[in-house]
Amino acid sequence: MRLVRQLSPAARNAIYALPRLCRATLGAVVLLVQPALLSPAHADPYKLGIMDKLSVRVVEWQTAEGQFREWPGITGEYIVGPNGDLALPFAGELNAVGRSTSEVAREIARNLQERFGLPNPPEASVEILEFRPIFVAGEVHTPGKYPYDPEMTVLKAISLAGGMRRGLNEGQRFERDFINARGSHEVLVAERARLMAKKARLASEEAGEEKIAVPQDLAAIPQARTLIEDETAIMETNRNAFDLRLKGLDELQTLYGNEITSLSKKVDNQTRQVDLYKRELQKTAKLVDQGLAVSSRALGLETTLADTQSNLLDLDAATLRAKQEMNKAALDTIDLKNERKSKIALDMQETKSQLDENALQLQMYRQLMAEALVNAPTASQLTGSDAARLISYSIVRTVASKIQEIPATETTPVQPGDLVKVSVTNEKS
């Protein structure tokens, strides 16, 4: 319908109480697990590299439909190739290595606009589905390839690989158990912080607030600001998408309302014309009966009257269609709002469930660390020089096309594509 062409383009008790321990050991556990062992967050956006798996989505606003239309020929999953390029249909090959996802998305939109001669670039988004993997080798339970996490450290990588390899002597076994439990505990602490930030964002969206209210438990974490900034960006994206769709539906209702008003005026005009033609036809019929007018004149008036009545019926039908479309747009608006509320409620329920599960797992690993300390009280000191004598770490990394082996500690950040090597001495010196 030509009406919609007028629209403007703008229009994501299981664990029991700890066993009774001696006061000294329990105090050591409390001092150990109290800090939040989170690795520093990266301020700069992630730069893509070879083997990164991406999700590319391209949509375009369709004014005729009042909604976004996805480009299925381009939308899909892609992997950055060995030459560092991202090959997309229609958009061509784009260099992706060393660039952020937003930079690649903007280039995709520009290329598609030029290729198809579009007045405005389509909306393109690029998300990282999987980072290029890391590799763990040496004295770990399961060496191999593992997915990368932006907050990955050497200790987290060892935890992913199943912890330290079995077969150590009795003293080292308890120390290994402690290290494994501590690594898993650290991963869970970081995950809990992300879930708390997500829950805060969902609560703000549910309440219709412009900013995220930071809970007190999250505010005490060093990475709280970065986590809230990430969730704020997600909230703004969701809100902008919702507002754009809502604006399009509002414009449709306004335009259909204007059309109904215009059609009503035309109906009134046609109704007056019908009344005039009927009176004229009555006068002419009397003149014909009296022999003062020819019958052809009356026939012409009858034809004109019939055409006008037909136009009036067409206008009534057009008015009915416009009212139906206006009601449909109003219902779509209600559905859109209900859909958003339902999604926020479901996400909140899922996040709360994940937080409950996370709390149980944290409690379990605290218990495991406590039990390990009972049998190896010095295990809590393994973050210092004793750990360096017992276990050594290194990272094999490609820097400027050269392979380097870099000494590392448990808290050393791991980058995508790194190889983490773990070595264990037979005895502590």
Side-chain angles (χ1 to χ4, degrees):
M1 199 169 186
R2 72 176 186 276
L3 169 67
V4 294
R5 298 195 187 102
Q6 302 175 40
L7 286 172
S8 64
R12 195 222 180 247
N13 196 12
I15 303 298
Y16 296 95
L18 290 173
R20 295 187 177 180
L21 304 173
C22 64
R23 293 186 178 180
T25 304
L26 184 57
V29 176
V30 173
L31 290 175
L32 175 68
V33 301
Q34 185 176 6
L37 303 176
L38 294 176
S39 60
H42 300 289
D44 297 332
Y46 174 74
K47 303 300 182 182
L48 298 174
I50 296 171
M51 292 182 66
D52 280 335
K53 187 175 182 180
L54 308 177
S55 171
V56 178
R57 187 182 183 193
V58 179
V59 296
E60 183 182 9
W61 176 255
Q62 295 292 304
T63 57
E65 302 172 6
Q67 61 185 6
F68 284 103
R69 178 176 63 84
E70 190 169 17
W71 291 31
I74 300 176
T75 297
E77 299 177 2
Y78 301 88
I79 296 178
V80 180
N83 60 350
D85 289 343
L86 187 66
L88 298 174
F90 307 111
E93 292 191 357
L94 300 82
N95 182 264
V97 171
R99 306 175 69 185
S100 66
T101 54
S102 58
E103 291 172 340
V104 174
R106 284 194 294 268
E107 184 171 352
I108 292 173
R110 285 196 302 267
N111 289 358
L112 292 175
Q113 182 185 16
E114 294 175 0
R115 176 69 181 272
F116 295 102
L118 302 174
N120 297 292
E123 295 290 333
S125 66
V126 178
E127 297 179 354
I128 300 175
L129 290 180
E130 295 178 11
F131 294 93
R132 54 192 184 277
I134 63 165
F135 302 85
V136 185
E139 299 296 330
V140 292
H141 187 267
T142 311
K145 180 174 68 174
Y146 293 93
Y148 173 77
D149 183 274
E151 296 182 349
M152 182 72 68
T153 62
V154 168
L155 191 59
K156 291 181 182 179
I158 295 173
S159 177
L160 288 176
M164 303 301 297
R165 179 179 61 83
R166 299 184 182 277
L168 305 177
N169 61 45
E170 189 69 12
Q172 291 176 326
R173 182 175 68 84
F174 290 114
E175 292 167 343
R176 178 208 63 202
D177 291 343
F178 181 83
I179 292 173
N180 292 344
R182 185 179 60 192
S184 299
H185 181 272
E186 182 179 347
V187 173
L188 289 169
V189 168
E191 179 187 2
R192 183 169 185 81
R194 290 193 293 269
L195 289 172
M196 290 170 64
K198 181 179 179 181
K199 180 183 176 182
R201 186 253 301 172
L202 291 171
S204 297
E205 286 185 330
E206 195 171 33
E209 298 173 354
E210 294 293 326
K211 295 183 179 180
I212 297 178
V214 184
Q216 185 176 357
D217 292 343
L218 183 61
I221 298 175
Q223 287 70 33
R225 179 178 178 182
T226 300
L227 292 172
I228 291 298
E229 287 177 353
D230 293 342
E231 292 297 330
T232 299
I234 295 174
M235 184 173 71
E236 290 177 353
T237 300
N238 293 342
R239 183 169 58 240
N240 291 339
F242 173 78
D243 290 344
L244 185 59
R245 294 176 62 187
L246 193 62
K247 181 180 179 182
L249 291 171
D250 288 342
E251 287 186 3
L252 275 176
Q253 293 185 68
T254 300
L255 291 173
Y256 281 124
N258 294 338
E259 186 184 28
I260 291 171
T261 301
S262 177
L263 289 171
S264 297
K265 294 179 180 179
K266 291 181 180 180
V267 167
D268 293 340
N269 183 57
Q270 291 292 307
T271 301
R272 288 194 296 270
Q273 291 293 327
V274 168
D275 292 338
L276 290 174
Y277 287 135
K278 284 182 178 180
R279 288 196 295 270
E280 183 66 20
L281 183 59
Q282 291 175 353
K283 293 178 181 179
T284 303
K286 291 180 180 179
L287 293 175
V288 170
D289 291 340
Q290 296 173 4
L292 300 176
V294 295
S295 59
S296 58
R297 181 181 177 186
L299 181 60
L301 286 172
E302 289 178 352
T303 302
T304 302
L305 177 60
D307 292 341
T308 305
Q309 290 175 329
S310 177
N311 292 336
L312 185 59
L313 292 175
D314 291 340
L315 289 172
D316 288 338
T319 302
L320 180 61
R321 285 193 299 269
K323 290 180 178 180
Q324 289 174 339
E325 293 296 333
M326 186 175 179
N327 291 336
K328 181 178 180 299
L331 291 175
D332 289 342
T333 300
I334 297 174
D335 291 342
L336 177 61
K337 294 178 179 179
N338 291 337
E339 178 185 347
R340 183 169 185 263
K341 291 180 180 178
S342 176
K343 184 178 184 305
I344 292 174
L346 289 174
D347 288 346
M348 177 66 80
Q349 182 180 4
E350 181 181 356
T351 302
K352 289 180 178 179
S353 176
Q354 291 173 344
L355 279 169
D356 292 340
E357 181 180 355
N358 177 277
L360 292 175
Q361 291 177 340
L362 280 172
Q363 185 178 357
M364 178 186 69
Y365 283 113
R366 291 190 187 110
Q367 180 178 357
L368 291 175
M369 285 189 287
E371 291 175 350
L373 284 175
V374 172
N375 297 281
T378 60
S380 61
Q381 304 172 7
L382 289 178
T383 54
S385 59
D386 286 343
R389 289 195 293 268
L390 178 64
I391 304 173
S392 62
Y393 312 102
S394 63
I395 294 176
V396 178
R397 179 179 298 163
T398 302
V399 180
S401 301
K402 295 183 179 180
I403 298 178
Q404 300 180 3
E405 185 166 352
I406 307 168
T409 65
E410 292 177 350
T411 58
T412 300
V414 177
Q415 298 180 7
D418 281 353
L419 168 64
V420 179
K421 293 177 63 176
V422 184
S423 302
V424 179
T425 60
N426 292 327
E427 295 180 357
K428 293 193 297 181
S429 43

